[in-house]
Amino acid sequence: MLKANLRQAIHLTLAIAALASALPAAAQSAAPAAELENIVVTGSRLRRPEFEGPSPVIVLSSEQFEREGFVTVYEAVKSLTQINGATQDEQYVAGFTPNASAVSARGLGAGRMLVLLDGRRVTDYPLPYNGESNFVDIAAIPTAAVERIEFLSGGASAIYGSDAIAGVMNIILKKDLGNTFDVNVRYGDTTEGGGSSTRIQGVGGFNRGILNVTYAAEYMKRDPLYGYERSFMDSVQDNPVEALRINTRSILRSDALDDLDGDGFDYLDPGANACAPWPELQYSLRAGRGNYCGRPDADAQQTIRNERDRVSIYANATLDLDGFELFGSVNYFDQDAEYDSNFDYWFPIVSDVIYNTNAGPDSTGYEVLQRFILASEIGGREARVTTEEDRVLDYAVGFRGGLFGSRWEYEATYSHSDYKVENAARHLLNPEVEDYFLGPNLGFDIDPEGFGLPAYAVNLTRLYSPLTPQIYQQLSAVGRDEADSSNDVVNVVLTGDLFQTPSGPVSMAAIVEWGTQEYEITLDPRTIAGDFWAFTGSGGGGKRDRYAGGVEFGVPLYDKLRATLAGRYDKYDDITNVDDAFSYNLGLEFRPTDTLLLRGSLATSFRAPDMHFVFADPSGYFAQVDDEYWCRANEPGVSLPACSRNPANIEGESQGNPGLEEEEGESFTLGVVFQPTSRLSLALDYYHIEITGLVIDYPITKILEIEADCRLGQTASGAAVDVNSGQCQSILARVNRTPVDATDFSEYIDLVRTGPINTADYKTSGIDTSLSFVQQLPTQGSLTYQLNYSHVLKFDTRDFAGDPFENSRDDLQVFDFRSKMRGSVTWQYADWTTTLFGERLGSVPRWDETGRIGTHVEWSGSVSYRFLGGAAEASLFVDNLFDEEPPEDPSYDTYPYFSDLNYDPTGREWFVQLRYKFGE
């Protein structure tokens, strides 16, 4: 690997030199442009006058993303073209983190972009994404305090340590506002109904000579938005497949031995009067199957945007004691949220099919039962909503000063970040709900066919009678889970110039760092005991310490060529196999003229295993799989989808793996920046990222494939397999099956144990382009154009070393965007400011995997007017101007009938805002 990295570094140097030598003479002698903006650049600890460096950094100011119509930091971050991965958010109410907001940079996953707040690490959201890994909840960062967002492309572990594989997101908070106070009030609503919001912000500061204070406070209240409030997802009639526009089976009895037309169990007709007690239910018919009690809008009863009530407070202070400065900052976030997963559903969990001794003459007795519990039975939706309380505290204190006549600067900081989550959700109780609908178990040897099924004298009156809120209270209980994560860091940074050369000073930055990270998930004891019907959780907890030291050098090779070199050593003290990691970074900047920059970077990076991947307690899950062993053994030559046993509903178990190692990454960028005038800037950058040993949950399909090979002694292609090998013994221990006997349930999959392993490899590359242009109009003010575009050229993955790489970029099962574009035009004239913003999302696969659906474009706009001498401002913002719905997919036959991992169903949303600024 080291030789390969050195070769890439040589290629990087030669490429920049070749580009430089190819420049025409006119470019070499071009008149100098205005200097680039002098700001602190994410990705380096060195002091530098230029904004553009060896690695591309995208900057999004708070003024810009407000003009573009974004209300939260999460919405603004998600709009960046480098954030192209499909992720679960609050639409995914059945997931593990429906109240948090994760993003995936470069499609590499929710946790492989390092998120910083003012250059400091923040703690992870304490609940695991998809029940597996950790990530930073960007929604917990208050909008009022944000000055700008910076995104550094590529690896940066040599500067920041673990997690900086796909890039670094640095959210810079406001400082040095002088003696001012800015207050604004905003109200918003959606044109289709639901989701109205109110927000109040106050931002200000005061400067008293040696004391400088900045503060911000924000309150936001937002109403929930339900699926039934959107016409394109409020009913089964929205299903693009006409044959599946079938009312949800809210109350259903099926005869498991009665399949007259061969397309599935036939329904036992309850009669029209059986559905009458529920005004929501209809006496419904499914052609070829029979009648039942159903409703067309059952799936739409869930929230698609959570109710939120939150307060955030931020303060930053510096005390200048004649060159020695004390500083501190605090950020507090408090949020109460509610969401409705619409999960009040019951079937006999003891067995998919039961024998009903009270079946009656129209049934063979072998029945499948299904019963939804409706909001009207339990006292309304509020009786079943999940409530969550989020509390975030982040603070830092430190001091800084100068050495040797201010040629060197030092800074020492201690920071602490803590995130607490408490949620409460009502669940059905087991066995109470089973006893209520089924009655006592009469045994497993009563059914006349001898299938060994549990037998019950089912109380059909209860099945077809509404519950009361009192009965629901007896059949359910509120489960309360708590989770907490924290991160503490102490670092000391020294920066300055080592010595002067004819081409400029050689600068250096050194850092020493100590950190500790902890998390704990405490599940309700009834969840652990299995008292809640069909509900599991993922508990766990652990701690890790780390120590790090690093250096960075800025070396002017001659007056137009500058090199940056950085190296960092991280030492981990925990139970994993990480131990230590060394990462380095090489950057080159060639400026043949004042208007042109050629740049490139080569970096290694790493990611310590997610805490939950390491420390997760055993937890259960349910899945639908193909039983490869049974099908290959009993139905040879039959494809897995056509096998009579598939798909099989199974129970699984997952647990953390203390033996995990770090993921290792390499990244390479090469680009050009052209700025002929201070009003025009163009940039084009190529990136390439590789990750090896990526941690994934051992795929169930792979476990069952290897299990079949081991049990049968050969692969599906006929290659011999040694059942006594270490891999076979490990895999066979992961799969439990029922005993071999003469029943139809012989060798059923009873349990599959999975868990995280270091096994996958990813490779991705693409291009980022950006344009910024300011046009001064003769008498009508100015126009500002902003354009960003990213395109994935390659994304190859494999789950196991030795396997061939697969093209995931074009894989019809991968819903990441292959391209994204964002752009805006802002017109400023006198006291008026108007912005038109557009976002183009690339194509995604069709649900039936036969092709792709087209690109999706949405427009937003804003207009603001300043008055009272500029102290006051009134604004109107409209998001999704043309009320665009998620793109249609004629094959998406599952609710909500569009990819909720990619698109927002909110529709047009408008806001009015009034702002007034006191002071300077």
Side-chain angles (χ1 to χ4, degrees), residues 3-208:
K3 289 182 178 179
N5 291 340
L6 291 175
R7 283 198 300 270
Q8 289 182 355
I10 293 170
H11 293 162
L12 168 62
T13 306
L14 292 176
I16 290 181
L19 285 171
S21 64
L23 289 173
Q28 298 282 347
S29 58
E35 292 185 4
L36 297 174
E37 187 181 359
N38 185 13
I39 65 170
V40 177
V41 181
T42 296
S44 175
R45 299 187 187 277
L46 298 173
R47 295 174 295 173
R48 54 180 300 133
E50 305 92 353
F51 163 68
E52 298 287 1
S55 298
V57 178
I58 304 299
V59 177
L60 188 63
S61 69
S62 58
E63 293 84 0
Q64 180 183 345
F65 72 67
E66 181 178 88
R67 290 196 306 266
E68 293 171 349
F70 299 111
V71 179
T72 66
V73 174
Y74 167 66
E75 293 172 355
V77 167
K78 194 175 181 181
S79 76
L80 295 177
T81 59
Q82 294 81 4
I83 308 299
N84 68 316
T87 52
Q88 301 171 6
D89 59 13
E90 56 193 325
Q91 291 186 69
Y92 206 76
V93 288
F96 288 84
T97 55
N99 198 48
S101 301
V103 295
S104 172
R106 307 297 190 194
L108 293 173
R112 293 183 178 87
M113 176 185 73
L114 177 63
V115 178
L116 305 173
L117 197 64
D118 272 343
R120 304 187 308 270
R121 286 178 176 268
V122 293
T123 193
D124 293 326
Y125 185 71
L127 296 174
Y129 179 82
N130 206 28
E132 299 172 347
S133 57
N134 302 117
F135 67 99
V136 171
D137 178 19
I138 295 178
I141 298 172
T143 309
V146 175
E147 175 68 24
R148 65 184 184 273
I149 300 168
E150 298 179 354
F151 176 79
L152 169 75
S153 178
S157 289
I159 307 299
Y160 300 111
S162 176
D163 303 338
I165 289 183
V168 179
M169 183 74 67
N170 193 4
I171 299 171
I172 310 298
L173 304 183
K174 289 181 169 67
K175 301 173 188 69
D176 301 325
L177 296 181
N179 295 299
T180 62
F181 179 64
D182 186 318
V183 62
N184 71 80
V185 179
R186 172 184 286 206
Y187 175 78
D189 205 349
T190 64
T191 57
E192 300 299 317
S196 63
S197 63
T198 302
R199 191 188 74 182
I200 302 172
Q201 292 181 340
V203 182
F206 59 87
N207 193 330
R208 297 294 184 268

Side-chain angles (χ1 to χ4, degrees), residues 636-875:
V638 177
S639 68
L640 288 179
C643 175
S644 62
R645 184 168 281 192
N646 292 334
N649 294 310
I650 69 159
E651 184 176 350
E653 184 178 274
S654 182
Q655 186 173 359
N657 180 3
L660 292 174
E661 300 177 351
E662 70 273 21
E663 300 174 350
E664 296 182 345
E666 298 177 0
S667 64
F668 173 80
T669 65
L670 184 65
V672 57
V673 181
F674 181 53
Q675 191 177 18
T677 73
S678 60
R679 297 178 182 176
L680 174 64
S681 178
L682 295 162
L684 171 64
D685 290 278
Y686 168 83
Y687 69 87
H688 179 82
I689 301 172
E690 295 187 18
I691 308 176
T692 59
L694 186 140
V695 178
I696 61 172
D697 243 3
Y698 210 137
I700 300 176
T701 53
K702 190 70 174 181
I703 292 174
L704 296 178
E705 175 191 335
I706 299 174
E707 183 223 12
D709 294 343
C710 294
R711 288 184 183 275
L712 298 172
Q714 63 179 16
T715 65
S717 61
V721 174
D722 180 9
V723 70
N724 296 313
S725 67
Q727 182 186 46
C728 278
Q729 294 303 304
S730 174
I731 289 293
L732 292 176
R734 290 179 178 269
V735 183
N736 289 359
R737 289 182 176 270
T738 59
V740 178
D741 54 33
T743 72
D744 290 344
F745 303 97
S746 175
E747 291 192 286
Y748 259 63
I749 298 174
D750 187 49
L751 182 72
V752 178
R753 298 178 183 86
T754 184
I757 55 173
N758 291 96
T759 179
D761 299 326
Y762 285 6
K763 298 191 296 186
T764 182
S765 58
I767 57 170
D768 297 322
T769 62
S770 64
L771 163 71
S772 177
F773 177 56
V774 179
Q775 179 185 10
Q776 293 292 339
L777 303 177
T779 59
Q780 295 83 28
S782 66
L783 291 170
T784 300
Y785 305 88
Q786 301 275 353
L787 183 67
N788 297 89
Y789 175 74
S790 294
H791 189 86
V792 179
L793 299 174
K794 181 178 72 172
F795 198 107
D796 294 336
T797 65
R798 63 183 180 189
D799 283 344
F800 292 89
D803 290 348
F805 278 96
E806 297 181 357
N807 175 15
S808 292
R809 175 191 183 273
D810 303 316
D811 190 328
L812 295 178
Q813 294 182 335
V814 176
F815 280 76
D816 295 342
F817 294 117
R818 300 186 298 188
S819 65
K820 279 183 71 175
M821 180 186 294
R822 70 185 317 277
S824 64
V825 180
T826 298
W827 177 39
Q828 291 181 297
Y829 176 66
D831 292 323
W832 292 90
T833 301
T834 301
T835 294
L836 178 66
F837 170 75
E839 187 173 16
R840 176 189 177 275
L841 305 176
S843 65
V844 297
R846 284 170 52 110
W847 188 244
D848 62 2
E849 302 176 21
T850 60
R852 305 181 72 87
I853 61 174
T855 59
H856 181 69
V857 177
E858 287 188 10
W859 296 93
S860 300
S862 67
V863 58
S864 300
Y865 175 68
R866 294 182 300 276
F867 55 100
L868 297 180
E873 182 182 66
S875 303

Side-chain angles (χ1 to χ4, degrees), residues 259-291:
D259 183 9
L260 298 180
D261 55 8
D263 66 351
F265 301 159
D266 289 339
Y267 302 159
L268 296 168
D269 192 341
N273 291 334
C275 311
W278 296 269
E280 308 98 315
L281 299 188
Q282 301 171 2
Y283 183 55
S284 307
L285 172 67
R286 181 176 182 181
R289 304 290 285 274
N291 293 95

Side-chain angles (χ1 to χ4, degrees), residues 584-649:
Y584 65 86
N585 187 307
L586 168 64
L588 290 175
E589 306 163 62
F590 180 65
R591 302 178 186 273
T593 72
D594 291 335
T595 64
L596 187 65
L597 166 65
L598 304 177
R599 64 187 176 190
S601 67
L602 172 67
T604 61
S605 54
F606 76 99
R607 184 169 189 254
D610 275 310
M611 296 282 280
H612 199 65
F613 271 146
V614 176
F615 297 104
D617 293 336
S619 61
Y621 63 90
F622 302 94
Q624 216 175 54
V625 300
D626 288 335
D627 189 343
E628 184 159 344
Y629 161 67
W630 190 93
C631 294
R632 282 168 54 186
N634 294 277
E635 298 180 5
V638 177
S639 68
L640 288 179
C643 175
S644 62
R645 184 168 281 192
N646 292 334
N649 294 310

